[in-house]
């Protein structure tokens, strides 16, 4: 857009040629002052198309309509409240700063409302704009969306087909911890379920706004272990219109392998490991998984079992390490140590450790993807994180909100894997099970090479 950066941001959606269509701005600017626009329309073509509507006087006409039509006005006020709640996800007090563009009601900027619609907001103004300006770009046939409902986070990928691989349109992650308490209670906590379904609603609307032809929702360890899944299944069907899949641990491992190794140029065979919140998966193979293992230890599960002090004591760290080691020792019988030429680590623990090892000022997937994390650096970062409180970890610029209290346990799993499978380091991949889910939608399970 030719403007200097006023605040940190992440890309919410991209145009077919890859440049950002919508970005999410942090609620605070670089000087710590409130930044009014959460979702910002950044594509020049889209900006011009919406500007023509503004030039024709539609801001005032739509504001008048919201005043004169009760139902339309109520929908707009709900959109502002929903937008404020979404902003508060990143800074709790930001929910008091107003809705779209920082206003409590009315219509101020059609660009912001359209960006909110594309991001997944239930925005009647944004939807109205979409009907009048789209299509802005060429139509892409076969676009798909995949959702990974993990123990600690829920993630979205919208992708286009691309020469046997995929082209990313949108990727997002929010930590909602649906697995909170599942290890002890065996049930999904109502508050955790509600947090997760709220984000799933945003994801489903975003997928539809970006014109995905198909959507796939898969759940992993926490939902696999929960005995009360009916409410979750009903809500998923209601929000997305599709039947949710509950993946086995071995299926998780195979999908992570598919996502992480697609297009990867490195020595084979690969050992792909995925450290999740509730479980950890390993898959060994060259072109397809030849051996897979899933163990019931993850960053959330270990943290809930030990309940370490803040920061953890030496005894806490040792207790968490022993839990990780005992479970991973069982996986050695299935996935042979020393058989892999290249270790590939995926998911939030590994990528966050690498972001800290690289000294990044903000989390940047492009700076992290397929870089090498050494065993020495992983150990250094683990020691540093273990010496901090959760509040101090949360303040680190690359730490996703909600990961700060469980990442030490995740780090100890990482170190156990590197040591047991004889890795001096690993390739860190931003592509994982989520990409595997989308690739299967695009190419079909048969081409994935799974038994």
């Amino acid at each position: 857009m030719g403007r200097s950066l006023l605040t940190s941001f992440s890309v919410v959606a991209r145009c077919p040629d890859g440049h950002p269509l919508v970005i999410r701005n942090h609620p605070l600017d670089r000087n710590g002052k409130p930044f009014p626009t959460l979702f910002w329309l950044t594509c020049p073509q889209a900006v011009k198309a919406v500007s023509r509507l503004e030039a024709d006087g539609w801001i005032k006409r739509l504001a008048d309509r919201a005043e004169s039509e009760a139902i339309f006005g109520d929908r707009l006020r709900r959109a502002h409240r929903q937008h404020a709640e979404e902003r508060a996800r990143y800074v709790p007090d930001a929910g008091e700063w107003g809705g779209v563009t920082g206003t409590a009601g009315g219509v101020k900027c059609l660009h912001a409302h359209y960006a909110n619609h594309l991001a997944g907001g239930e925005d009647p103004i944004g939807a109205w704009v979409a009907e009048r300006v789209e299509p802005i770009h060429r139509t892409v046939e076969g676009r798909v969306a995949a959702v990974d409902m993990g123990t600690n986070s829920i993630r979205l990928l919208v992708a286009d087909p691309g020469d046997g691989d995929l082209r990313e349109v949108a990727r997002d992650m929010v930590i909602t911890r649906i697995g909170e308490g599942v290890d002890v209670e065996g049930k999904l906590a109502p508050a955790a379920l509600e947090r997760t379904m709220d984000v799933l609603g945003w994801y489903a609307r975003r997928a539809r706004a970006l014109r995905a032809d198909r959507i796939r929702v898969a759940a992993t360890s926490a939902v696999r272990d929960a005995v009360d899944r009916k409410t979750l299944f009903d809500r998923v069907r209601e929000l997305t219109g599709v039947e949710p899949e509950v993946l086995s641990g071995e299926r998780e491992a195979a999908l992570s392998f598919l996502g992480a190794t697609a297009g990867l140029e490195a020595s084979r065979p690969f050992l792909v490991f995925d450290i999740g919140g509730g479980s950890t998966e390993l898959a060994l193979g060259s072109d397809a998984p030849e051996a897979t293992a899933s163990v019931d230890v993850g960053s959330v599960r270990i943290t809930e079992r030990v309940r370490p002090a803040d920061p953890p004591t030496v005894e806490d760290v040792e207790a968490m390490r022993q839990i990780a080691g005992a479970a991973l020792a069982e996986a050695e019988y299935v996935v042979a140590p020393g058989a892999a030429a290249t270790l590939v680590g995926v998911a939030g623990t590994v990528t966050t450790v690498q972001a800290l090892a690289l000294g990044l000022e903000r989390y940047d997937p492009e700076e992290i993807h397929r870089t090498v994390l050494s065993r020495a650096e992983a150990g250094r970062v683990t020691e540093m994180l273990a010496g901090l409180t959760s509040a101090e970890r949360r303040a680190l610029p690359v730490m996703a909100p909600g990961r700060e209290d469980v990442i030490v346990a995740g780090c100890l799993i990482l170190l156990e894997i590197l040591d047991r499978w004889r890795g001096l380091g690993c390739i860190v991949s931003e592509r994982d099970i989520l990409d595997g889910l989308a690739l299967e939608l695009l190419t079909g399970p048969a081409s994935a090479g799974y038994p």
Side-chain angles (χ1 to χ4, degrees):
M1 294 181 71
R3 301 183 184 182
S4 59
L5 297 177
L6 300 175
T7 185
S8 59
F9 68 93
S10 58
V11 177
V12 170
R14 297 181 182 275
C15 300
D17 65 2
H19 72 263
L21 170 63
V22 176
I23 62 173
R24 179 196 289 111
N25 295 303
H26 193 274
L28 296 173
D29 68 17
R30 295 187 181 278
N31 296 317
K33 296 180 179 179
F35 193 80
T37 307
L38 181 63
F39 297 117
W40 201 338
L41 191 67
T42 50
C43 167
Q45 290 174 269
V47 170
K48 289 178 182 178
V50 179
S51 293
R52 286 193 287 269
L53 293 175
E54 289 193 346
D56 288 340
W58 278 105
I59 290 180
K60 184 177 187 308
R61 279 184 267 182
L62 288 167
D64 290 344
R65 180 183 172 188
E67 290 292 327
S68 62
E69 296 182 22
I71 294 177
F72 189 77
D74 286 344
R75 290 177 61 206
L76 178 57
R77 283 187 286 275
R78 283 199 300 270
H80 281 299
R81 288 196 299 271
Q82 181 193 57
H83 190 92
E85 291 167 1
E86 181 67 10
R87 183 187 286 114
R89 194 187 304 281
Y90 305 95
V91 175
D93 293 341
E96 305 300 320
W97 302 344
V100 182
T101 67
T103 61
V107 185
K108 183 178 178 181
C109 174
L110 298 188
H111 298 88
H113 282 282
Y114 181 47
N116 187 41
H117 164 75
L118 292 173
E122 293 181 275
D123 192 319
I125 302 295
W128 181 93
V129 171
E131 290 175 359
R132 284 149 184 83
V133 301
E134 294 179 357
I136 295 172
H137 306 94
R138 60 182 173 83
T139 301
V140 178
E141 298 293 333
R143 178 169 289 178
V144 300
V147 176
D148 168 30
M149 197 181 304
T151 299
N152 200 40
S153 65
I154 178 170
R155 301 182 300 144
L156 168 72
L157 174 63
V158 180
D160 293 334
D163 300 325
D165 200 350
L166 55 80
R167 288 195 296 270
E168 179 182 316
V169 176
R171 190 184 293 265
D172 208 351
M173 184 277 294
V174 178
I175 292 177
T176 59
R177 197 164 297 175
I178 196 172
E180 181 179 14
V182 169
D183 186 55
V184 175
E185 300 294 334
K187 296 180 180 180
L188 300 171
L193 176 62
E194 195 59 37
R195 290 193 301 266
T196 305
M197 292 302 100
D198 179 61
V199 176
L200 179 62
W202 278 87
Y203 286 173
R205 292 187 295 269
R206 188 181 309 173
R208 288 192 288 267
L210 296 174
R211 302 183 184 276
D213 295 335
R214 291 174 292 161
I215 185 170
R216 183 180 189 184
V217 180
T220 56
S221 177
V223 176
R224 192 164 61 231
D225 292 349
V227 298
D228 58 337
R229 299 185 292 204
K230 183 180 183 304
T231 301
L232 180 142
F233 284 12
D234 290 345
R235 293 288 300 280
V236 172
R237 294 186 198 101
E238 174 190 343
L239 291 168
T240 68
V242 302
E243 191 72 20
E245 306 170 47
V246 180
L247 303 175
S248 68
E250 289 71 23
R251 190 83 174 95
E252 273 193 75
L255 284 163
S256 293
F257 186 96
L258 173 62
T261 62
L264 176 60
E265 297 294 333
S267 299
R268 300 167 188 251
F270 303 121
L271 172 64
V272 176
F273 61 91
D274 181 345
I275 301 171
S279 63
T280 296
E281 281 69 45
L282 303 102
L284 176 68
S286 293
D287 298 319
E290 298 159 12
T292 61
S294 177
V295 294
D296 282 337
V297 289
S299 59
V300 174
R301 197 181 295 264
I302 289 180
T303 302
E304 289 188 348
R305 287 183 184 177
V306 174
R307 299 195 179 279
D310 190 21
T313 65
V314 172
E315 292 76 17
D316 291 334
V317 171
E318 179 59 20
M320 290 189 286
R321 188 196 66 76
Q322 287 189 10
I323 292 172
L328 289 166
E330 297 297 318
E332 290 182 292
Y333 293 105
V334 181
V335 180
T342 302
L343 274 63
V344 183
V346 303
T349 291
V350 181
T351 57
T352 302
V353 169
Q354 181 66 323
L356 291 166
L358 294 172
L360 300 185
E361 294 183 0
R362 69 179 183 89
Y363 192 92
D364 186 344
E366 294 182 3
E367 291 290 328
I368 296 166
H369 185 49
R370 290 183 175 168
T371 56
V372 174
L373 171 66
S374 71
R375 169 59 175 83
E377 278 296 277
R380 180 186 67 81
V381 172
T382 298
E383 185 176 351
M384 180 269 291
L385 290 171
L388 301 177
T389 64
S390 290
E392 290 168 334
R393 290 183 219 119
R394 184 185 176 98
L396 297 171
V398 299
M399 188 69 64
R403 197 182 303 284
E404 67 278 357
D405 60 331
V406 299
I407 193 167
V408 173
C411 287
L412 295 170
I413 298 171
L414 168 61
L415 295 182
E416 282 290 319
I417 290 171
L418 293 178
D419 291 343
R420 289 176 179 276
W421 277 269
R422 304 170 194 172
L424 297 177
C426 64
I427 292 176
V428 177
S429 176
E430 288 282 349
R431 296 184 59 166
D432 52 30
I433 183 176
L434 190 59
D435 301 78
L437 290 165
L439 279 166
E440 279 201 339
L441 274 178
L442 292 170
T443 62
S447 65
Y450 303 146

